[in-house]
Amino acid sequence: SEMTSKCISLKALTALAAFACLLPVSRGHTIEGVIEQPMDADADFLAKTRITVDSGNYLGFIRANRTFIVQHVPSGSFVVEAIHPNYLFEPMRVDVASSGKIRARKLNFLQPALVKKLTYPLRFVSLGRAAYFQQREQLRTLDLLMNPSVLIMVVPMLILLVMPKLMNTQDPEVRKEMQQQMNFFSNKQNMPDVAETLSNWFGGGGSSGSRRSGSALKDAKRPGVKKRAA
Amino acid sequence: MGIKKNKFSFCMLIFLLFLQMHSVLALYEDEIGKHDWTRQFVGRVQHLEFDLPAGTTTKQRSQQLQGGSSSRRLFVATDHNVLAAIGLKSSRIIWRHFLEDAPVNGIKLCDGALFSMSNGLLRSWSTSRGILNYEISVQEQLEAKFAGTLTCHEDPDDDRSLVFASTARRLVAVAPLTGALEWAANLDAGSGENHSEVTSFPNPDGLTVVTFDPTAGKMRLHQFGAESGVAKRTATVKAEWLTSLQRCAISVSTLACLDPAGSVRLLSLSSGSDFKPLPPSLVEQLGHAGPWQSVEEIGGQDLFQLTTNSGAVVAMLDASLATGPTGESLPAGSLLRYRGQVRFLLRQQGDGGGGVTLEASSSSSLVASNKISLSFASHHGRVSQLYPVTFVRKGGSSYGYRVVMTTRDADLHAFDDTGERQWMREESLAGIVSVEAVDLPSADEDELVTPGGSVFSSFAQRLSGQVHHFIHVLQHLMLCWRARPASQADSLGEFGYPDEAPAPPASAASSSGSGAGSLIRDEFNLHKLLVVATKDGKLAALDSATGRSVWRLMIPMPAAAAAAEGTAADSARTEARIEPLAGGQMPLYIQRTTAHFPLEPMATVLCRDSSTGRPVLFSFNPITGIGIGLAQRLQSRLLQALLVPQPSHDNGQYIRPLMLLSDTLQVTLYPAKTALPHGFKSLNLYTVDRDNRLLQGYRLRLTEQQQQMSAISTWRLALHEPILVTAARRPTEQVHSVGRVLGNRHVLYKYLNPNLLAVATLAKDMVTPAPQIGDAYTQITIWLIDTVSGRVVASATHHHSSGPVSLVHSEHWLVYSLWNQKQRRFQLSVWELFAGNGLRDCMNATQPIVGKQSYILPAPVQHLAVSQTERGITAKSVLLALRSGGIMELSKAFLDPRRPFDMTPEFQEEGLMPYHPEVPMSTQAIVNYNQSLHRVEGMVTVPTGLESTSLLFVHGTDLFCTRVQPSKMFDVLKADFDYAFIAAVTIGMIIGSFVTQRLAARKALFRLWS
């Protein structure tokens, strides 16, 4: 229809030229479409967007009414992309028949023969802003608490604190059992004291009085230390 | 030992893989511009239009143009097919469009809109934001190449304007505002002639169009009125002597053409039917009979400018051939332009570099005739185009003007009417053809002593070296101190280059290097100088940290040329200039690095003299940009040039000689006096002859007398198919691990032949049946050739495939991209070569095992590159320059022929990913984020002192430089490393240990008491 309308407008064309115009000349085909402007796009959106056909061999630019045309496209099957530095658009495959019939379908590189039709004239809708950047990790208390290693530590501790409260401590049987457990724990007293070793490493640092009192008490329990004290 | 090493590398591999898998290669938003920079260019300006107020005709313009040119813009179309708007005051790009890969035929401002004509398409753009108004196809039929012209017709009587756009076959007249087609006319009336060139010029009534058929030598004139597409006059003129319309200039009523003998022939467009020679009266008046070098239209009033071989310029006014024209002789080296009533005469003395004078004169009293001198640095060369614009000053009492001009190096300059330069755009950097990274001199040099001297001489050398160094540092400090105020003034704009005034070379280094003091190697050698050579024969150094040009230098013409080849220059009839070698290459060689402190570093560029086609060598200091000696023209053509691998230690020069192999198999060294390194015996090299589709290998060796080098041809390999691209491993590449540990603890040893060359050729596909529509399929063959023996190590053919092919070869692998015609998608293929199981071929050479795999690349790619690190420990990344403008970093782990279809625990242990046909695309892997880079010509990666980091420099229309870390930054703490947090935790732990110790002691005490 475009071709015939052009023919009408060419008032002063010679008869020969008019005849040539009516013939299906190989002037190439025109791909048409529209692009949806994202809501948060800036004023330069239209000028910065370009439509490429066949990896940039044919170009289209966006007009102020957001429509575009790509001219001089020969018949064949092409990938049509809308390219903007900040927004992503899904590319499409456009098949141009030699009769000038054009259809658009979903681009599928894995199954090129699969046809999933899309609307024509093309309609590009932004998939959103391109995420070029990684989010900086921030130290958040919740993240720290939800950390698996923290959870492994904290949950048993909570159970250890809460369970005795839940149990009936008045029950003599339970009490006996607990006593046993406590004994088990108190046996651990013989284990080396981590805190003490650490403070020994750092050469002490707490008030000397308390340290002496602490070590004096322990000295009483361990005969080997006496020699050193002497 | 070997096992240990393997174990270590295995651990390293696992560690690096771990790093890779669990981290996305991406930037943080606050890192924008921290380690990267971009510089945007447009290219060499070919068409320029000044913005004038909308909706005015020529008559009204002079009244309306009120001194506000400072806020105006200029529109340019360039050799990169870029259409852009540049601020006349700020020099910034306001908007920019990359048009199709076809030359822009012209741009015109008409009725307040900008029109461009290229590729048979007339486009109208809004001037303010660069949004397309409309687009009209001028052509009825598709052609491979469109010639075209564009003119704007403004009727002085009514306000009706028309835009005429034409190709060689069809002319359309369009109403500028609406884009409505007023009329169209076919220019070839089916005569069977092949008119492929066209030029046009507006005349008072309408338009004159001249089309030309170069094969038949026939020219046709058409004269159209503004109102209809019926030609008022059509004439066919024979011009068999004319080769191209580019040797012609058209004006209102005359067409002037140069014939092969260099004489001017004129054709009257209104009445003439044949070309006439210059009238004798005019020749007498001009004082020159020719031969002429060029003819140019300059004022829109039948005014032509003729240039002689010696550079003299003569303007010729030819109002009408019948009455006899008036002419005037202008001094040598002049450019004349008319803009309205004002005449601009630009005079360049000598080679014009450094300074020219501009004379503005007018018959009108509004214009004060004045003469100003425009000065610019000598490295820009002569002025090549002059674009003046006049405007009425505020109050309307007088005219002012601005001058924009391009110089031979493609830079764009703007001057005001006091002769002061407003700005300069370094458009020459859009034409970079080769890049070489140079390490900056280190602040404390260790290699001050040459080995092999006596104790005392070494001591003396050391002392003198230290003193030298101390003085050097003092000089640097002085320079810094002196340059400080200047550098503050410099930092006005982002890249606003207040280029230095012409200065002798010695002080050029100091004035250009306001940051010269800061040009000292940093701790990790991340800061380098990128020495670049442009296609216009200019050298420059860019600071890799900021992108600023540190120095610029035009490659000088060899001096001996003019005298020796005076006659040759006459016949060539073109101005001699420096240009890249055939194939667009202009290699740079670093002959002496900065590591030999008292000796200055030395780099050499190999280029060609356009008039004789002879190779030219020029050496310079890559840090300061000062030439070392003069440019040398070689007497014979070169087959190959290559740096000798080791520097020669003789006489303490540390120069790596450049070995030149001429087409007569003569071997010479450059510099000529350099001795060969001790123990040098022979050297193998190869040549790629694209025209004859031939690869050839040569061996260079010392003759018996140990004095002369001789070359013998060792092998020839005729490929019989067009060679598309070749790629070889970088000679300096480091390979850390020689093997790959498999899941079952076996080792696959890499096939690390350093002499491999990968070649891609194109041929007709004989296997795949041709498609129903379109052309028959082609096939791409990839060859791996041992360049010492000429043996084909491996080859493979991709049926129904075509270019563009991009190849990279590194370590033991090869990655390339191509277009699959049948499936209509881009494809990325990888080969990995492993040492074979002892199988030998007929030439008794071991055959490698080649693993191959291909992937679908979901986006078109223009270039491939691979990251380079100092020791090669870090995993490699393949860098893909996508057509959409992104540079994507893709870990080599995704391109691995061992990626299995079925995953087994063994493969899992090896760290292999299961095969997936599509290459994963992620926006986070785009290293240049939203700074799209179009028309990428090349990517260069440079190792740095940090093993994790490699510098990436991308050149094309835009420049971009960033750091690439394929395995993330494992050797330096991250920029966002939380020192405070670590310190707080440590201190907290210490305090906690003391507190708990006290608490525990108290508890123990209570327990004892209880």
Side-chain angles (χ1 to χ4, degrees):
Chain A
S1 66
E2 189 209 17
M3 218 167 268
T4 48
S5 73
K6 201 157 266 180
C7 282
I8 293 162
S9 70
L10 305 181
K11 288 172 229 160
L13 220 64
T14 57
L16 192 72
F19 179 65
C21 186
L22 288 169
L23 284 172
V25 287
S26 63
R27 62 170 289 186
H29 307 282
T30 302
I31 297 175
E32 293 172 32
V34 66
I35 191 159
E36 286 290 305
Q37 189 165 358
M39 297 297 276
D40 57 342
D42 58 358
D44 281 343
F45 175 82
L46 296 180
K48 284 194 172 164
T49 315
R50 51 202 240 124
I51 307 292
T52 65
V53 178
D54 194 21
S55 63
N57 286 338
Y58 311 97
L59 293 180
F61 298 91
I62 318 286
R63 286 175 288 205
N65 61 1
R66 306 191 327 275
T67 60
F68 62 86
I69 52 168
V70 184
Q71 299 194 78
H72 293 177
V73 181
S75 53
S77 173
F78 307 100
V79 177
V80 181
E81 287 176 278
I83 293 169
H84 186 277
N86 286 327
Y87 294 93
L88 294 177
F89 295 90
E90 200 170 350
M92 302 174 190
R93 184 171 286 286
V94 172
D95 302 323
V96 183
S98 48
S99 64
K101 217 180 144 194
I102 297 175
R103 73 166 177 188
R105 56 191 171 107
K106 230 177 150 63
L107 180 64
N108 189 337
F109 283 117
L110 289 173
Q111 292 159 289
L114 199 74
V115 177
K116 204 172 166 190
K117 274 192 119 175
L118 295 172
T119 54
Y120 183 84
L122 306 177
R123 187 178 184 82
F124 282 104
V125 182
S126 168
L127 300 173
R129 283 187 86 95
Y132 292 117
F133 303 105
Q134 218 177 331
Q135 283 294 315
R136 263 220 196 278
E137 288 160 31
Q138 281 175 327
L139 191 69
R140 283 199 211 92
T141 343
L142 195 69
D143 288 359
L144 206 70
L145 288 178
M146 297 311 280
N147 190 334
S149 54
V150 172
L151 282 178
I152 286 168
M153 297 257 294
V154 169
V155 172
M157 223 149 136
L158 278 177
I159 292 169
L160 216 73
L161 288 174
V162 175
M163 282 299 275
K165 297 264 157 52
L166 293 177
M167 278 189 290
N168 187 1
T169 44
Q170 298 307 313
D171 189 355
E173 242 177 65
V174 176
R175 195 177 267 194
K176 202 177 167 188
E177 204 176 302
M178 275 180 68
Q179 195 73 47
Q180 255 177 352
Q181 275 179 4
M182 285 306 286
N183 281 342
F184 176 75
F185 275 114
S186 57
N187 283 344
K188 291 240 163 157
Q189 285 292 314
N190 296 338
M191 299 279 284
D193 188 353
V194 181
E196 199 195 356
T197 355
L198 256 178
S199 63
N200 278 340
W201 278 0
F202 293 113
S207 72
S208 56
S210 72
R211 183 166 179 255
R212 199 170 295 146
S213 69
S215 54
L217 283 165
K218 275 166 198 162
D219 288 352
K221 272 164 65 185
R222 279 183 278 174
V225 187
K226 265 183 189 166
K227 276 181 202 162
R228 200 186 64 187
Chain B
M1 182 66 198
I3 297 165
K4 239 183 188 173
K5 199 177 172 191
N6 276 333
K7 226 173 196 174
F8 172 73
S9 58
F10 177 70
C11 290
M12 203 68 201
L13 191 85
I14 294 291
F15 168 67
L16 293 179
L17 273 176
F18 176 81
L19 279 173
Q20 230 167 49
M21 303 289 169
H22 294 270
S23 61
V24 193
L25 304 162
L27 281 170
Y28 295 111
E29 196 151 5
D30 48 81
E31 284 179 331
I32 292 177
K34 205 170 170 188
H35 304 306
D36 60 76
W37 50 263
T38 318
R39 287 181 70 180
Q40 294 190 324
F41 296 107
V42 292
R44 178 187 275 277
V45 171
Q46 287 177 328
H47 303 277
L48 189 144
E49 281 280 302
F50 288 95
D51 192 6
L52 300 168
T56 56
T57 62
T58 331
K59 274 188 173 175
Q60 295 158 331
R61 254 181 209 159
S62 51
Q63 280 105 51
Q64 289 205 1
L65 237 173
Q66 295 278 329
S69 76
S70 54
S71 63
R72 312 233 162 267
R73 49 193 68 184
L74 43 100
F75 302 105
V76 294
T78 69
D79 62 344
H80 286 239
N81 314 328
V82 167
L83 181 70
I86 295 171
L88 191 51
K89 192 167 192 182
S90 67
S91 85
R92 275 165 211 274
I93 297 172
I94 298 164
W95 52 262
R96 183 174 69 154
H97 285 297
F98 287 83
L99 304 181
E100 288 94 349
D101 271 332
V104 181
N105 303 126
I107 58 170
K108 272 281 174 307
L109 267 171
C110 200
D111 252 5
L114 180 70
F115 290 84
S116 73
M117 174 76 184
S118 72
N119 201 28
L121 292 169
L122 171 70
R123 291 190 172 108
S124 162
W125 308 89
S126 82
T127 54
S128 56
R129 298 226 300 270
I131 295 172
L132 182 75
N133 294 331
Y134 56 84
E135 175 182 314
I136 289 168
S137 169
V138 175
Q139 195 70 342
E140 289 277 277
Q141 271 175 308
L142 275 191
E143 263 173 49
K145 244 182 182 177
F146 288 108
T149 62
L150 181 65
T151 45
C152 178
H153 173 81
E154 284 165 325
D155 205 320
D157 302 325
D158 55 12
D159 270 359
R160 210 174 70 114
S161 309
L162 272 183
V163 171
F164 295 114
S166 101
T167 63
R169 291 169 185 276
R170 191 162 177 260
L171 168 73
V172 295
V174 175
L177 282 179
T178 58
L181 188 72
E182 296 283 324
W183 50 261
N186 269 17
L187 298 181
D188 62 334
S191 55
E193 286 168 22
N194 183 20
H195 286 252
S196 61
E197 292 188 55
V198 63
T199 183
S200 68
F201 206 86
N203 61 33
D205 310 323
L207 180 79
T208 314
V209 185
V210 177
T211 61
F212 180 60
D213 179 0
T215 47
K218 272 187 185 168
M219 195 179 272
R220 184 173 289 132
L221 311 179
H222 308 260
Q223 285 202 316
F224 291 98
E227 59 288 330
S228 85
V230 180
K232 287 181 176 169
R233 177 169 177 263
T234 315
T236 306
V237 180
K238 276 188 182 171
E240 289 92 353
W241 43 269
L242 189 64
T243 50
S244 162
L245 269 187
Q246 283 173 351
R247 288 176 66 80
C248 294
I250 187 171
S251 195
V252 180
S253 63
T254 314
L255 180 73
C257 291
L258 281 182
D259 67 10
S263 52
V264 177
R265 302 196 192 190
L266 301 170
L267 176 70
S268 166
L269 296 174
S270 51
S271 55
S273 58
D274 205 2
F275 278 93
K276 284 176 187 147
L278 276 188
S281 60
L282 181 64
V283 173
E284 201 175 304
Q285 215 165 348
L286 295 174
H288 282 280
W292 307 101
Q293 190 186 313
S294 71
V295 57
E296 235 182 308
E297 191 276 328
I298 47 173
Q301 293 152 354
D302 274 338
L303 198 62
F304 296 100
Q305 176 172 282
L306 301 172
T307 316
T308 64
N309 290 330
S310 55
V313 173
V314 177
M316 173 191 69
L317 188 65
D318 179 27
S320 116
L321 280 175
T323 57
T326 56
E328 77 179 295
S329 276
L330 296 174
S334 307
L335 281 176
L336 187 63
R337 287 291 176 281
Y338 273 77
R339 185 61 66 156
Q341 299 161 308
V342 191
R343 193 183 89 153
F344 296 91
L345 174 64
L346 188 87
R347 285 202 190 118
Q348 18 199 3
Q349 282 83 32
D351 63 351
V356 289
T357 53
L358 182 80
E359 213 179 300
S361 55
S362 169
S363 50
S364 156
S365 60
L366 282 175
V367 187
S369 296
N370 64 349
K371 196 170 169 181
I372 52 172
S373 71
L374 312 176
S375 58
F376 49 87
S378 57
H379 57 73
H380 294 298
R382 289 174 76 95
V383 177
S384 54
Q385 272 300 333
L386 183 68
Y387 303 97
V389 64
T390 52
F391 61 89
V392 180
R393 288 192 189 285
K394 279 199 178 89
S397 56
S398 66
Y399 276 99
Y401 59 87
R402 295 279 180 274
V403 174
V404 174
M405 63 190 192
T406 58
T407 40
R408 186 193 274 178
D409 61 351
D411 286 352
L412 191 65
H413 310 253
F415 291 89
D416 66 7
D417 45 11
T418 58
E420 203 165 301
R421 175 151 73 186
Q422 293 180 310
W423 48 261
M424 189 266 291
R425 288 187 59 86
E426 281 188 281
E427 296 301 338
S428 53
L429 294 178
I432 290 177
V433 286
S434 63
V435 182
E436 202 59 57
V438 182
D439 289 346
L440 288 167
S442 147
D444 50 342
E445 295 291 342
D446 301 324
E447 300 176 52
L448 294 174
V449 186
T450 53
S454 73
V455 177
F456 291 105
S457 71
S458 299
F459 182 66
Q461 257 184 353
R462 169 117 214 154
L463 274 185
S464 69
Q466 296 280 19
V467 168
H468 256 111
H469 196 238
F470 182 68
I471 292 167
H472 196 71
V473 168
L474 274 185
Q475 279 174 341
H476 260 306
L477 286 174
M478 292 276 283
L479 278 178
C480 279
W481 185 72
R482 248 188 254 157
R484 235 173 55 196
S487 72
Q488 276 162 358
D490 279 8
S491 59
L492 284 170
E494 216 181 326
F495 285 112
Y497 289 89
D499 185 46
E500 73 278 8
S507 65
S510 64
S511 60
S512 68
S514 59
S518 64
L519 285 179
I520 285 180
R521 192 185 298 192
D522 64 346
E523 198 182 350
F524 297 125
N525 197 8
L526 291 162
H527 189 189
K528 289 173 189 278
L529 264 195
L530 300 163
V531 177
V532 300
T534 73
K535 63 181 176 198
D536 298 299
K538 195 174 177 182
L539 298 167
L542 302 171
D543 186 334
S544 76
T546 59
R548 201 174 51 89
S549 300
V550 178
W551 55 260
R552 283 152 277 179
L553 180 68
M554 188 66 107
I555 301 174
M557 279 301 287
E565 287 159 43
T567 47
D570 274 346
S571 63
R573 205 171 287 111
T574 48
E575 201 184 354
R577 52 166 68 205
I578 295 290
E579 62 175 19
L581 302 174
Q585 289 171 313
M586 201 151 137
L588 285 164
Y589 302 95
I590 305 295
Q591 293 200 281
R592 184 163 56 204
T593 63
T594 46
H596 311 283
F597 168 62
L599 301 167
E600 56 177 11
M602 177 174 159
T604 300
V605 63
L606 175 60
C607 46
R608 171 169 95 163
D609 164 5
S610 69
S611 59
T612 57
R614 297 262 179 258
V616 171
L617 280 164
F618 175 63
S619 294
F620 58 97
N621 179 335
I623 301 295
T624 58
I626 297 171
I628 301 173
L630 298 165
Q632 279 185 29
R633 180 187 283 106
L634 302 175
Q635 287 313 311
S636 53
R637 282 168 209 285
L638 287 187
L639 281 180
Q640 185 62 283
L642 132 136
L643 276 184
V644 175
Q646 312 91 27
S648 64
H649 292 281
D650 291 2
N651 51 42
Q653 287 297 305
Y654 294 97
I655 289 180
R656 282 175 69 184
L658 188 62
M659 210 167 259
L660 307 166
L661 176 66
S662 73
D663 53 356
T664 52
L665 295 193
Q666 297 278 314
V667 184
T668 44
L669 289 180
Y670 177 86
K673 281 168 280 178
T674 323
L676 280 168
H678 189 67
F680 177 87
K681 284 199 181 75
S682 69
L683 193 69
N684 287 294
L685 50 83
Y686 63 90
T687 58
V688 179
D689 186 348
R690 278 165 200 258
D691 299 334
N692 299 321
R693 301 161 186 189
L694 191 69
L695 300 178
Q696 267 186 290
Y698 299 91
R699 176 170 293 142
L700 314 184
R701 58 174 181 203
L702 281 174
T703 51
E704 304 273 311
Q705 298 84 30
Q706 300 286 306
Q707 292 297 318
Q708 282 288 313
M709 296 281 294
S710 72
I712 46 164
S713 172
T714 47
W715 55 269
R716 286 161 73 91
L717 182 66
L719 291 173
H720 303 296
E721 292 168 9
I723 296 171
L724 296 177
V725 278
T726 63
R729 251 172 77 182
R730 196 176 300 209
T732 54
E733 188 184 61
Q734 294 278 336
V735 180
H736 177 256
S737 154
V738 294
R740 225 179 116 161
V741 183
L742 307 184
N744 57 10
R745 295 294 182 272
H746 285 237
V747 178
L748 265 182
Y749 287 96
K750 295 174 182 172
Y751 180 78
L752 292 168
N753 182 345
N755 305 311
L756 283 186
L757 174 75
V759 181
T761 59
L762 180 80
K764 225 174 222 168
D765 187 352
M766 297 298 188
V767 179
T768 323
Q772 285 159 357
I773 45 165
D775 301 329
Y777 291 130
T778 55
Q779 66 184 30
I780 300 277
T781 309
I782 308 286
W783 312 77
L784 262 182
I785 292 154
D786 185 319
T787 54
V788 173
S789 64
R791 186 170 63 93
V792 176
V793 174
S795 73
T797 299
H798 290 266
H799 293 290
H800 50 78
S801 296
S802 69
V805 178
S806 189
L807 260 177
V808 282
H809 177 31
S810 169
E811 288 199 12
H812 64 299
W813 52 264
L814 180 71
V815 169
Y816 53 91
S817 67
L818 47 83
W819 170 254
N820 187 327
Q821 291 172 317
K822 204 172 180 182
Q823 308 290 350
R824 290 187 291 255
R825 60 194 180 197
F826 278 88
Q827 186 174 310
L828 209 56
S829 297
V830 58
W831 293 13
E832 281 200 22
L833 289 88
F834 294 102
N837 39 13
L839 287 180
R840 284 169 184 275
D841 65 3
C842 54
M843 288 168 87
N844 200 25
T846 51
Q847 283 289 81
I849 303 167
V850 187
K852 296 170 194 158
Q853 217 166 55
S854 290
Y855 313 88
I856 299 166
L857 191 63
V861 68
Q862 10 181 6
H863 265 281
L864 294 181
V866 63
S867 65
Q868 298 277 337
T869 54
E870 195 174 30
R871 298 270 156 221
I873 299 170
T874 312
K876 292 256 152 84
S877 270
V878 177
L879 298 151
L880 304 111
L882 305 176
R883 288 274 176 113
S884 55
I887 308 290
M888 196 177 84
E889 189 182 350
L890 181 70
S891 170
K892 171 67 181 54
F894 288 109
L895 307 174
D896 186 343
R898 292 181 46 74
R899 280 176 74 176
F901 291 95
D902 302 311
M903 207 60 189
T904 63
E906 265 186 21
F907 286 132
Q908 213 151 22
E909 199 176 334
E910 207 184 318
L912 289 175
M913 278 172 280
Y915 179 77
H916 190 264
E918 250 182 272
V919 170
M921 304 287 282
S922 148
T923 47
Q924 290 209 340
I926 305 278
V927 293
N928 58 336
Y929 41 103
N930 63 357
Q931 301 182 320
S932 298
L933 305 169
H934 300 289
R935 306 261 151 81
V936 172
E937 300 284 336
M939 291 197 280
V940 179
T941 52
V942 187
T944 64
L946 271 182
E947 172 54 33
S948 65
T949 310
S950 145
L951 273 187
L952 167 69
F953 177 63
V954 185
H955 59 94
T957 309
D958 295 346
L959 305 184
F960 177 73
C961 184
T962 192
R963 296 176 189 177
V964 178
Q965 289 152 348
S967 303
K968 292 222 112 178
M969 209 177 207
F970 59 80
D971 44 7
V972 176
L973 287 178
K974 275 194 280 184
D976 61 340
F977 184 79
D978 206 336
Y979 294 94
F981 180 69
I982 293 289
V985 167
T986 318
I987 292 165
M989 294 288 267
I990 293 166
I991 292 169
S993 74
F994 285 121
V995 171
T996 47
Q997 190 236 344
R998 269 193 80 170
L999 289 175
R1002 259 179 63 171
K1003 204 177 161 192
L1005 181 66
F1006 283 135
R1007 182 161 299 139
L1008 281 178
W1009 276 109
S1010 61

